[in-house]
Amino acid sequence: MNFPKAFEEMFRTSFGDRAWESYQQSSTQPPVRALRLNPKRPVHKRLLPKLSQPVPWAKTAYYIDHTLKWGSDPLHAGGEYYLQEPSAMAPVTALQPQKGECILDLCAAPGSKTTQIAAVLEDSGVLVANEIHRERCLTLAENTERMGLSQVCVTNLEPRTLADSYREFFDAILVDAPCSGEGMFRKDPEAITQWNEELLLQNADRQLDILESAYHMTKTPGRIVYSTCTFNPVENEGVLLRFLTLHPDLQIVSTKLLHAQPGLSLDSLHTIATRYAPLAKILPETLQIDDLRLDTSRAARYFPDSSQSEGHFIALIEKRATLQQQSANFPNRPSAKFSKDHTKHRTKRKQFEHTAQEKVVIRLFEQFAQDTLEEHFISKQLETHRLRLQGEILYAIPQKLAEAPPPSRGVLRIGLPLCSVRSGHIVPTHALALALTTQDVRRECRLPYGDARILAYLAGETIPCTLHDGFALVTIDGVPLGFGKTVQGTLKNHYPKGLRRKYDFVLSKTPHSTSETDGDPTTATT
Ligand SMILES: C[S@@+](CC[C@H](N)C(=O)[O-])C[C@H]1O[C@@H](n2cnc3c(N)ncnc32)[C@H](O)[C@@H]1O
């Protein structure tokens, strides 16, 4: 691999000559790949023999054979697993989401960390997944659907706009920031050509801006994880120090991540800054070396040569009350105005009632549910969610989210979309199908792995089915693929048109019999 001279200089100055030699050597190896199992799905027996090496720092995660096209298997379409680079799993491990918490994934697309957080929350609490770019946000929504998540709200907003609605709302926020992507070089050698020092400075400023919004959305006490897939200290430690000098109520705490190197200490950063101008440019002048709050060595860095991964930087930051809580200086919205809006909303909440149109759709959905779903699924949804019609879609919205003032625009999905109504008939959503288990439904069209009807269904064809007439969940040995409607021995296809494509039973293939690329855009993730 040909690295720019300036990149080599940054690396040698920051991490030493030996680290550079070792890094360079690792760059000749193929990138490592891994998957995370979806705890909502039964583990398919086809997968088991292929999952022999766990990723040490993440739950239910395994290294996988990089020669197989994992994204083309029908089990992938059923959300059985999520393909994710191993060190990209570490930020969520550091965040330590707890059941019932309100969590924000602020830079979320394509959704690898959103789906990882959701796996821990297990349908409890609230998870807002935000992505600024529209196209990437659609992929994020698709991935939350594929993994069967029910408590997720997907938004397409600038972080500052989101902060207007959710001030001090979240227990924990993940800022997996856009960065110079030095940890992507093995996977995407093209990225090397775009690397330059100006890019590091621009990214650092942008990251600081995003972190500012995160700060205002985090409760006290609360936590923020800041992560990037890049190595340089102009982003990473540099951004951390700039962020923490602005907020005395923040403190870096240890991530305790396995197999990671510690972040660069304040002492070493001062030395590096004397030899590396971009770092000297951004390092705050008033840093006190013995200020434990700013101990950047508590952050964690994964390098490809010292861990089996591509590379990441992760810092866990705690927000704690200080004696002199600093007054909010967030641009755009003064806090007094915000609390006024809040009161207005609370009054509205007390008077909450379904609209007439909502009542009609809910009644139709209840009839559908009586015929198609088991009682316990609906009663669980009603216990923890509120039903609300948004446009044409009836949603089950997590209670805590339904009580908060939602952003007035840019919401792609708020909780679990249940159904829409067409010509007086319920059309259940694909998201509902994938949020179900076989215990939740009255009719399951269960197909064994390898059955040709699976590929036909995923291509949008009708398939023969002997079940009683009505909606049925199509599954591969219990792993849901989508809905179909049985009419006199034929299952009409409800697999979404936009997702229909050719799949292949990849997991029955022996390693090295297929090409190295995955070929699935929805899984291109750090
Ligand atoms: C490293 S990627 C996130 C990967 C994602 N967390 C995952 O694990 O799948 C960073 C994301 O930040 C988004 N982004 C770019 N500029 C941004 C900005 N100014 N504010 C917020 N997000 C931004 C990018 O579109 C990109 O999707």
Side-chain angles (χ1 to χ4, degrees), residues 82 84 88 105-114 130-133 136 157-159 174 176-179 206 210 229 525-526:
Y82 195 105
Q84 189 178 9
D105 186 358
L106 188 50
C107 312
S112 68
K113 296 172 189 80
T114 299
N130 180 67
E131 167 57 41
I132 195 167
H133 292 301
R136 289 179 62 81
L157 291 167
E158 282 193 16
L174 175 62
D176 188 38
C179 66
R206 181 162 59 160
I210 299 172
C229 59
T525 185
T526 54

Side-chain angles (χ1 to χ4, degrees), residues 38 40-42 78-79 123 144-150 365 368-369 372-378 380-381 416-418 428-444 471-475 478-484:
N38 185 350
K40 291 190 86 163
R41 311 285 191 240
D123 290 342
T144 59
E145 187 175 86
R146 183 172 64 81
M147 299 301 276
L149 312 186
S150 68
F365 180 73
F368 158 85
T372 314
L373 306 175
E374 292 294 348
E375 177 66 32
H376 66 91
F377 178 80
I378 290 302
K380 190 177 154 213
Q381 289 295 315
L416 180 63
L418 297 171
T429 63
H430 186 55
L432 172 62
L434 291 207
L436 297 168
T437 68
T438 53
Q439 286 89 49
D440 297 329
V441 287
R442 292 181 194 260
R443 279 179 292 274
E444 177 191 358
F471 278 99
L473 186 66
V474 181
T475 77
V479 175
L481 286 181
F483 278 126

